[in-house]
């Protein structure tokens, strides 16, 4: 039986999963039946957001240990996109996972120390970190951790999810509550 080829196309980020990395407010939401933008400015804190992948398929990136050819975006998480790539030396499939969000350079030394610890770990049953890659992203340097690719079912398929109606109700109430908090004399405080 043929299995789907992992990471051959980047899935779109669902609007209900689009949040600002600085304030966690909803961004990129559609209105009046039109789809939301994939880049813009957060209406809550003014931070720029861009939901497009930082790397294009076919780009070759170099880490401290090896070189990797990007195949495609795999998934977008809280820190940004993860990509499937191929190790140029071994032809092994790997995953490039973003280490920091767009505000990441402020993490500085702590992020570097954590990365060094991850690269030194070799624990059975855990995905092994192989290398670190630093590339130029649209908004500055992007640090990616090179991880072994593990075949299997996505863990998100087993994660409990609230009913969409409840999630939509909560997300719909956020702007109204935020406005009420800032109306002079008419808010909650």
């Amino acid at each position: 039986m043929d299995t789907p080829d992992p990471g051959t196309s980047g899935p779109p980020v669902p609007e209900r999963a689009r949040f600002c990395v600085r304030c966690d407010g909803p961004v990129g939401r559609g209105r009046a039946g039109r789809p939301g933008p994939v880049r813009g400015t957060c209406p809550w804190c003014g931070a720029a957001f861009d939901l497009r992948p930082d790397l294009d398929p076919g780009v070759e990136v170099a880490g401290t240990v090896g070189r990797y050819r990007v195949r495609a975006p795999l998934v977008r998480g809280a820190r940004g996109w993860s990509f499937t790539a191929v190790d140029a030396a071994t032809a092994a499939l790997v995953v490039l996972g973003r280490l920091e969000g767009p505000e990441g350079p402020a993490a500085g030394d702590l992020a570097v120390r954590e990365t060094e610890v991850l690269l030194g770990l070799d624990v059975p049953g855990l995905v092994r970190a192989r290398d670190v890659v630093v590339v130029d992203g649209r908004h500055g340097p992007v640090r990616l951790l090179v991880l072994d690719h593990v075949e299997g079912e996505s863990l998100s398929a087993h994660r409990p999810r609230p009913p969409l109606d409840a999630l939509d109700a909560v997300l719909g109430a956020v702007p109204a509550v935020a406005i009420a908090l800032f109306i002079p004399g008419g808010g909650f405080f």
Side-chain angles (χ1 to χ4, degrees):
M1 178 175 158
D2 290 333
T3 58
D5 191 14
T8 53
S9 65
V13 180
E15 288 190 20
R16 68 180 183 275
R18 297 176 181 183
F19 295 95
C20 176
V21 296
R22 185 185 297 162
C23 74
D24 209 28
V27 297
R29 305 298 168 94
R31 294 183 188 174
R34 293 190 317 259
V38 294
R39 61 183 177 189
T41 304
C42 173
W44 309 106
C45 71
F49 73 88
D50 193 338
L51 304 171
R52 299 172 300 163
D54 291 306
L55 301 175
D56 292 322
V59 170
E60 191 166 296
V61 296
T64 55
V65 177
R67 298 186 71 75
Y68 311 91
R69 180 170 301 280
V70 175
R71 292 186 57 217
L74 181 61
V75 67
R76 187 175 192 282
R79 297 178 184 250
W81 284 94
S82 293
F83 302 86
T84 54
V86 175
D87 185 320
T90 66
L93 191 61
V94 297
V95 173
L96 306 176
R98 190 173 181 141
L99 285 169
E100 320 166 320
E103 304 298 322
D109 292 337
L110 178 61
V112 172
R113 286 195 305 270
E114 287 175 346
T115 302
E116 289 170 356
V117 169
L118 288 172
L119 290 171
L121 292 177
D122 190 8
V123 179
L126 290 181
V127 173
R128 186 170 62 99
R130 297 172 167 236
D131 199 356
V132 175
V133 173
V134 179
V135 297
D136 290 328
R138 281 186 296 279
H139 304 290
V142 175
R143 292 168 38 90
L144 300 161
L145 188 62
V146 181
L147 304 163
D148 285 336
H149 181 270
V150 178
E151 293 289 334
E153 192 175 7
S154 167
L155 292 177
S156 64
H158 300 285
R159 180 178 56 206
R161 298 177 190 262
L164 284 181
D165 293 340
L167 183 61
D168 288 340
V170 170
L171 292 178
V174 169
V177 170
I179 290 170
L181 290 173
F182 292 104
I183 296 174
F188 295 111
F189 301 104

